[in-house]
Amino acid sequence: MSLVSFGLIRPAILSLRSYYDLSLQYLYYKDHPIEWRNVSEFHARPILPTAAKKYLKDNFPAFNHRFKTLLGVKTRTNDDCYNVLSGVAHGSAINSISAATQPAHLVEPKIVVAQSVDVFRDVGEHTSDIFVAGFEGNWLSLPERTKLDLKARFEDRKPRKELRI
């Protein structure tokens, strides 16, 4: 959030995209040490989020049910924020390519900074949903913050029961 506080939104979004990629890669590589070794030694390319999600769907029996259930109570504007993050990274999103000619021009106006907060919140909720959907522990093992967020999203329903955790 330091970059956001300075008004450096594009680098902040690029950092957020790295966070998203690395979070999903972790869920795959924690179970694949040989593949991780090959990536870390530059013998292979890292997997993309689509491949990581396919791995989760194929190998974690509760993933599909939980993720669909979580989508039903999402507070974010997008089902998946990756397209927004990629649009900024690849310059296809509106105003994502800087026209700055001086360092001061890299700092975005307050209105742009305020709008970016939603993107960060959306990515946080989305990555949390992916981790919860693939979670193999029990409800008591979830972090308290995660349980509180889920209880708020499910309102009067019980997330533990809805998600079968």
Side-chain angles (χ1 to χ4, degrees):
M1 293 310 287
S2 297
L3 291 168
V4 174
S5 68
F6 289 120
L8 301 169
I9 302 305
R10 188 171 196 286
I13 297 291
L14 295 175
S15 177
L16 187 61
R17 183 172 185 249
S18 292
Y19 163 78
Y20 182 92
D21 283 336
L22 292 171
S23 294
L24 291 176
Q25 288 173 6
Y26 167 77
L27 292 172
Y28 176 81
Y29 290 121
K30 71 179 179 60
D31 297 333
H32 297 88
I34 294 169
E35 287 82 356
W36 171 244
R37 183 189 66 217
N38 288 335
V39 168
S40 63
E41 293 177 358
F42 305 103
H43 299 298
R45 291 183 179 195
I47 63 165
L48 296 173
T50 303
K53 289 178 202 171
K54 181 180 182 335
Y55 167 74
L56 293 168
K57 288 175 185 175
D58 292 348
N59 294 284
F60 294 83
F63 186 88
N64 282 329
H65 164 74
R66 287 184 185 162
F67 196 74
K68 287 177 187 173
T69 302
L70 290 164
L71 277 176
V73 294
K74 71 178 171 45
T75 63
R76 60 187 183 271
T77 55
N78 297 308
D79 288 352
D80 188 342
C81 307
Y82 193 68
N83 289 338
V84 173
L85 300 175
S86 293
V88 172
H90 298 296
S92 59
I94 295 173
N95 299 323
S96 64
I97 297 178
S98 177
T101 57
Q102 298 177 15
H105 297 158
L106 294 171
V107 178
E108 297 292 342
K110 286 183 182 179
I111 191 164
V112 174
V113 173
Q115 291 169 347
S116 73
V117 173
D118 289 341
V119 175
F120 283 82
R121 187 180 57 244
D122 288 358
V123 171
E125 181 180 283
H126 185 219
T127 53
S128 178
D129 284 359
I130 291 169
F131 273 80
V132 169
F135 184 63
E136 294 190 298
N138 61 38
W139 177 257
L140 295 174
S141 299
L142 282 171
E144 281 304 312
R145 180 74 242 176
T146 302
K147 290 189 280 191
L148 288 171
D149 288 344
L150 291 171
K151 287 175 184 177
R153 286 170 59 188
F154 279 87
E155 297 174 350
D156 58 348
R157 299 181 346 236
K158 296 187 184 319
R160 179 177 181 240
K161 189 173 187 175
E162 298 278 332
L163 296 170
R164 302 178 193 152
I165 295 179

